[in-house]
Amino acid sequence: MATPSRKTSTQSPVASKRAILSDPSSEVPSKKKSSVPPAAPRPLPSSGPFVEGSIVRIAMENFLTYDVCEVSPGPHLNMIIGANGTGKSSIVCAICLGLAGKPAFMGRADKVGFFVKRGCSKGMVEIELFRTSGNLVITREIDVAKNQSSWFINKKSTSPKVVEEQVAALNIQVGNLCQFLPQDKVGEFAKLSKIELLEATEKSVGPPEMHKYHCELKNFREKEKQLETSCKQKTEYLEKMIQRNERYKQDVDRFYERKRHLDLIEMLEAKRPWVEYENVRQEYEEVKLARDQAKEEVRKLKESQIPITERIEEMERQRHSLEARIREKALAIKETSQKCKHKQDVIERKDKQIEELQQALTVKQNEEHDRQRRISNTRKMIEDLQNELRTTENCENLQPQIDAITNDLRRVQDEKALCESEIIDKRKERETLEKEKRSVDDHIVRFDNLMNQKEDKLRQRYRDTYDAVLWLRNNRDKFKQRVCEPIMLTINMKDNKNAKYIENHIPSNDLRAFVFENQEDMEVFLKEVRDNKKLRVNAVIAPKNSYADKAPSRSLNDLKQYGFFSYLRELFDAPDPVMSYLCCQYHIHEVPVGTERTREKIERVIQETRLKQIYTAEEKYVVKTSFYSNKVISSNTSLKVAQFLTVTVDLEQRRHLEEQLKEINRKLQAVDSGLIALHETNKHLEHKDNELRQKKKELLERKTKKRQLEQKISSKLGSLKLMEQDTCNLEEEERKASTKIKEINIQKAKLVTELTNLIKNCTALHIQKVDLILQNTTVISEKNKLESDYMATSAQLRITEQHFIELDENRQRLLQKCKELMKRARQVCNLGAEQTVPQEYQTQVPTIPNGHNSSPPMAFQDLPNTLDEIDALLTEERSRASCFTGLNPTVVEEYTKREEEIEQLTAELKIKKVELDKYRENISQEDYDKYGIRIRVKFRSSTELHELTPHHQSGGERSVSTMLYLMALQELNRCPFRVVDEINQGMDPINERRVFEMVVNTACKENTSQYFFITPKLLQNLPYSEKMTVLFVYNGPHMLEPNRWNLKAFQRRRRRITFTQPSQ
């Protein structure tokens, strides 16, 4: 058999729970026979008739704490008694859900699946209601997986709506607090407004039509107000429309006046095309006449140009003949000129040959002079080198110095190489340190980003707390001792999977609380943040003596056998004040956390460990000891998903990274100092190396100088010998040059004679050519004169032709314009292209160039006949029409439409007023929707009566007042039954006794409805009535199985014992 899901018995790990409930004849102590002990049973009279709709039987299966249970209440007062957790309120829940009530009515859960016993997939509630025509059995089967219910009436499937209609027909109202008051809704009764209390009372005690009539009164009053508002609005709207039409009347008159002007403008605009057409037609006739005259003039000019053309052609032939002869002379001149040029070129070449001979002689003279100078310079250089060679010292003793410098140079280079190697190592070390620094910086940035995520969540959910954190960070100097930021920021989970345990254990108000070590610091903070900045924040103070390191009362090793792996304190890190506060306030060092294995052994864990709070993988268990029975009772809740502490920041690792960063920076400084020193050493060695190399170079140069001088002297002597051998005879060269020049001059004189003859021939040819050119010029001049005369005549002809073309184009344009104007005039008069104008509208019929007739209407006779007069009158009429500004063509339509609307609205308003008068005759002028009931109470003779509110009276006073009001309604009650669950919890013994007596006296009267009174306790020596039914609810591991429970056999045995008792 499955164990209970929400409440657990501690007597046996596998104990199932059963309820022993009495029927109307079960044992009840009676005050009339004091000789019988209170627990002694005595017989009861028959239950008497049930009220229509009373509960006859309640059956439950796999419902909350029950496996299988059946309850048979009595027709009057039913006292349901049992210790806390035994299942009294489960009966109330069964009544509510079985009669189509919503889960929210009980205030326990919002889903019907939560009412099925844990571990079961389905549950069932069955309610049997009394009816004179035959009892009504309502069955509700609940499916946990689908969170749905199946309904049956008298074992036949039905819909929830049909069940609700059947229940409502019996005047059962499980949602009415005046009839059905569950345990979790007792405090809601005092919160009812006076209007809600009146409605609940009407439904409970009044006839069915009372609440309906009240609603109808409210609706009538609401309709009356709507009619009043409607009449008022329509009256105001009607007045506005009348006023608006009065304002627009003048605009309408002005609109018609403007229309008359526009009609005249339309007539003028219609006549204007006809006048334009006539003007254009006359202009067309004039242009046509001028075109014909221009055509005749062009013909005469063309005839006068024929003789001039023939003379020009004759002159052109003469010009061609002269130009041919001129070209022949020019060709002869060109040939003679080319021969002259050839002779001149030959003469110039002879002159150039003479010049080249003279230049060659000059070059040889200069070369000889230059050779003599170089020989002299070479001899001088040889003498200087020989003198220097004699003065050069012996350099054989320089080798030891060179060897010593070479050794020093090698040693310096070794030191320099070693120094450069150390520099490279230092640079590599620095690069490695910088890489480590960047890595550490990146880790710190990631930690900071995680912290920022926690702060973002705080800012989004609790903005005031976030603003207070910012203020604290900027004002830490105002506090004497340490102040910790909100607990949710300072807590750092070691594993974010465990965050749900901490968030379910510590309330959200404390998670966002600031933790102080000093009371004065907290007062300063709250004054500044709450009073001045108006921020809603929480603050707590840590204990003076630290609880952070307080050891748990039981070792974790002892609890590991149950599946526990840690206490809450070991799941996270926090500053000492925060940890101390949480240990002191929430005992996190005493609350263990287990696994799924712990949940499987939960009953054994609760019984053997006696722990007050336990966490399993997905649930929290709270263990309490009953005040009445001293038994251990546990309750479990599912853990909520963590929201704030899922971000894990390892503060110890962050501190380690910061220390590592400081160490890296220190090493970087040491490496930089070493690099600077090595660079200085390398610079010094470089300078020393350069000095040694310079000294070695100088010694080597001194050692090789003598050998170099000897080589130079030998080279110069060789050059001098070559220069002395290269000699030249200048006299012989001068004689040869003179002979060649004389021969060239003879050839040149012969060429000059030939050139002179050619020049004379060329001059004669030029004279002949000039004579021919003069003749050609005369011919060209005469020709040009004739062409000038021809051009003058041609220019006049072109002008005349252009004038003709323009006149012809103008004629075509005017003809086209005449056609367009005729077409436009016909369109204005609404005449078709082939339609003739009626005789009654014709005045004259002018002929147009295309042969059609035009016909201006007779209506145009009274209007002006010129364009200027028409334009002047148009301007005048348009000016007059433009004076009527701000007029809209729709004004008249709106005016007319508004007049019709005014008539219609007047008729509607008259009908509305008649309807309103009828409403006022039928009902009084009162606000029925504000009707209500106010309960006024006082509990001391010295005080005034006060209205019952959820704040003014204490919990016990509210309970007493609620019970007295419900008892006052009992005799008037028209509901078949009433339920009140544990209303005596907050009462003192005196009030509890008085209320109990009143309940017994009232509920046990004749013709009263059924009453259910649920309580976990009763005072001693209370009065009881014969009409009461007392139902005892028990649970435990030794309860009888349902199939072994025979209620009738127990009743018969009880009667026998009772009947034999007086004789004893």
Side-chain angles (χ1 to χ4, degrees), residues 449-489:
N449 290 337
L450 291 174
M451 196 63 188
N452 291 335
Q453 290 180 17
K454 296 176 72 174
E455 293 179 3
D456 286 343
K457 289 184 177 181
L458 178 66
R459 177 176 55 80
Q460 294 171 5
R461 185 71 179 272
Y462 306 110
R463 184 55 189 257
D464 287 359
T465 305
Y466 177 77
D467 293 340
V469 170
L470 298 181
W471 180 88
L472 174 63
R473 292 175 180 174
N474 296 326
N475 298 275
R476 286 192 179 275
D477 54 340
K478 295 184 178 181
F479 304 103
K480 298 177 182 179
Q481 294 184 13
R482 184 177 182 183
V483 179
C484 296
E485 293 181 357
I487 294 175
M488 68 172 61
L489 295 182

Side-chain angles (χ1 to χ4, degrees), residues 85 195 253 259 614 674 965:
I195 298 172
D253 295 339
K259 190 173 184 303
I614 299 169
Y965 184 77

Side-chain angles (χ1 to χ4, degrees), residues 68-84:
V68 177
C69 179
E70 185 172 308
V71 181
S72 299
H76 297 291
L77 176 60
N78 291 274
M79 296 287 294
I80 301 177
I81 304 172
N84 287 335

Side-chain angles (χ1 to χ4, degrees), residues 8 55 117 121 176 180 237 283 292 321 325 449-450 453 463 496 503 572 619 727 731 759 766 825 828 847 862 892 904:
T8 307
I55 298 174
K117 187 174 183 179
S121 60
N176 188 344
F180 196 88
Y237 182 59
E283 185 179 356
D292 295 339
S321 176
R325 294 174 63 189
N449 290 337
L450 291 174
Q453 290 180 17
R463 184 55 189 257
N496 56 10
E503 290 194 19
F572 63 91
E619 293 177 327
T727 59
E731 292 178 358
I759 290 173
H766 274 291
V828 170
T847 303
D862 298 333
V892 178
Q904 182 180 356

Side-chain angles (χ1 to χ4, degrees), residues 107-249:
R108 285 196 171 194
D110 56 348
K111 294 183 179 180
V112 70
F114 291 153
F115 289 88
V116 177
K117 187 174 183 179
R118 185 176 181 83
C120 299
S121 60
K122 290 186 178 181
M124 185 273 292
V125 176
E126 187 173 271
I127 307 293
E128 184 176 352
L129 300 177
F130 177 78
R131 281 197 315 188
T132 53
S133 60
N135 288 358
L136 178 69
V137 180
I138 300 173
T139 306
R140 182 174 189 172
E141 293 182 357
I142 304 169
D143 191 331
V144 177
K146 297 180 181 179
N147 193 38
Q148 293 179 351
S149 299
S150 301
W151 294 89
F152 300 89
I153 293 181
N154 294 330
K155 305 301 180 180
K156 295 181 181 180
S157 178
T158 186
S159 64
K161 185 176 181 181
V162 174
V163 175
E164 291 174 357
E165 292 174 355
Q166 293 283 352
V167 170
L170 295 172
N171 202 25
I172 297 173
Q173 306 163 21
V174 292
N176 188 344
L177 295 183
C178 287
Q179 178 180 350
F180 196 88
L181 192 61
Q183 178 182 354
D184 296 316
K185 291 285 185 176
V186 171
E188 298 292 330
F189 186 86
K191 296 179 182 178
L192 291 175
S193 66
K194 60 181 183 180
I195 298 172
E196 294 172 339
L197 182 59
L198 174 61
E199 291 181 355
T201 304
E202 286 177 347
K203 294 176 182 178
S204 178
V205 303
E209 62 272 9
M210 176 182 286
H211 181 66
K212 177 182 176 183
Y213 290 159
H214 188 191
C215 293
E216 288 179 355
L217 283 174
K218 289 193 288 185
N219 292 335
F220 286 154
R221 181 57 180 158
E222 183 65 26
K223 289 181 180 178
E224 181 188 352
K225 290 180 180 179
Q226 292 176 358
L227 281 172
E228 289 178 354
T229 305
S230 177
C231 289
K232 185 177 179 181
Q233 291 175 349
K234 289 184 180 296
T235 303
E236 293 175 353
Y237 182 59
L238 180 61
E239 292 175 356
K240 289 180 181 178
M241 291 179 66
I242 293 172
Q243 293 173 2
R244 189 179 300 171
N245 257 19
E246 289 295 328
R247 289 197 302 270
Y248 289 162
K249 186 176 181 181

Side-chain angles (χ1 to χ4, degrees), residues 768-786:
Q768 294 173 6
K769 179 182 177 183
V770 168
D771 184 46
L772 291 172
I773 290 173
L774 289 173
Q775 293 177 15
N776 187 39
T777 302
T778 302
V779 172
I780 290 173
S781 176
E782 291 179 1
K783 179 190 172 188
N784 289 339
K785 184 178 179 182
L786 290 172

Side-chain angles (χ1 to χ4, degrees), residues 1040-1055:
L1040 289 175
E1041 294 296 330
N1043 55 6
R1044 297 175 58 192
W1045 181 268
N1046 190 337
L1047 182 61
K1048 294 182 179 180
F1050 280 106
Q1051 291 174 348
R1052 288 195 300 269
R1053 183 180 179 187
R1054 178 72 179 88
R1055 291 191 188 97

